[in-house]
Amino acid sequence: MPIRAILWDVDDTLFDYRTADRAGMSHHLRAEGLAGGFPSADQALDRWREVTALHWERFSAGETDWQGQRRDRVRSFTGHASLSDADADGWFDRYLVHYEAAWSLFPDALPVLDALAGEYRHAVLTNASIQVQDRKLRTLGVYDRFEAVLCGPELGVAKPFAEAFHRGCEALGLPPGEVLYVGDEPDIDARGAAEAGLTGVWLDRAGAGGRPELIRITGLDQLPALLRGDTRFGASSTFG
């Protein structure tokens, strides 16, 4: 069946999350006077990502709520387990100011959305909360490009589970075989989509390579050619 629509991941696919997170936390550490608490900025950022992953897993497992995982990230990162909810919220809100100031799309995001706008329908399927992604997509000026924005916490199921991808297809009113999913995680995104019956594409921006069973591109500028049949579609990509 021909591809009629594209489901998009957001963070580190369209939106440059890692750069924004790094810049935001670097500015926040200096503003909070915490920079001296770590041997280097890189180690501070590594610790922030570590606690983010830890508490996101707890949130995904239903062990805490959205606000709770944010508070627990702050307590773990600062080492102040007894920090009050109000103080933890304030710390995180101040971080968000710096983080949001660094928001940007990848340079190839708008060109590919423009290039594919007339040929394919578009929607978003992300594991982040609608509280985050709605604001992000609107701030970045691309919200109206998508027919639907589906988020794991609100769906009650997340990638890589097949139901999450199928819910995205249902929102578009299309069977999985007519939908392509593109994201930066080889297993959560590309493999998960493929196992759910969609066409999964791994956006390997870092050029890590490997995973010959996956369709792989190293930049979004390669997606139009892939869709238009200039490469072996349905087999491992020759890009990168």
Side-chain angles (χ1 to χ4, degrees), residues 6 111-122 145 228:
I6 302 169
V112 78
L113 288 171
D114 286 341
L116 300 176
E119 297 175 68
Y120 302 93
R121 297 167 61 194
H122 300 269
R145 291 176 178 262
R228 292 164 186 159

Side-chain angles (χ1 to χ4, degrees), residues 61-131:
E63 297 174 11
T64 184
D65 59 16
W66 177 254
Q67 198 65 25
Q69 61 85 23
R70 285 186 165 186
R71 292 165 179 163
D72 290 341
R73 285 159 66 187
V74 174
R75 291 173 180 132
S76 295
F77 181 74
T78 62
H80 298 307
S82 61
L83 202 65
S84 71
D85 287 352
D87 286 342
D89 290 344
W91 192 99
F92 200 93
D93 288 344
R94 293 191 297 276
Y95 155 70
L96 284 179
V97 171
H98 298 291
Y99 168 55
E100 293 184 8
W103 280 359
S104 67
L105 296 168
F106 282 103
D108 56 6
L110 281 178
V112 78
L113 288 171
D114 286 341
L116 300 176
E119 297 175 68
Y120 302 93
R121 297 167 61 194
H122 300 269
V124 161
L125 174 63
T126 169
N127 280 356
S129 170
I130 191 66
Q131 295 170 269

Side-chain angles (χ1 to χ4, degrees), residues 1-24:
M1 289 185 285
I3 298 298
R4 297 176 59 192
I6 302 169
L7 272 174
W8 293 89
D9 177 47
V10 175
D11 295 339
D12 286 325
T13 297
L14 296 170
F15 165 65
D16 191 352
Y17 170 78
R18 289 183 180 273
T19 296
D21 187 43
R22 180 182 181 85

Side-chain angles (χ1 to χ4, degrees), residues 18-30:
R18 289 183 180 273
T19 296
D21 187 43
R22 180 182 181 85
M25 183 51 65
S26 295
H27 285 103
H28 184 55
L29 285 171
R30 289 195 293 271

Side-chain angles (χ1 to χ4, degrees), residues 1 3 7 125 159-166 169 175-183 185-202 211-216 233-236:
M1 289 185 285
I3 298 298
L7 272 174
L125 174 63
K159 303 175 297 180
F161 292 105
E163 184 183 349
F165 293 102
H166 292 164
C169 296
E178 295 184 1
V179 180
L180 178 144
Y181 190 88
V182 58
E185 295 284 352
D187 291 311
I188 293 174
D189 294 327
R191 182 181 60 80
E195 290 181 352
L198 292 75
T199 297
V201 174
W202 173 28
R211 307 301 299 271
E213 76 280 12
L214 300 177
I215 301 171
R216 182 176 72 95
F233 203 36
S236 56

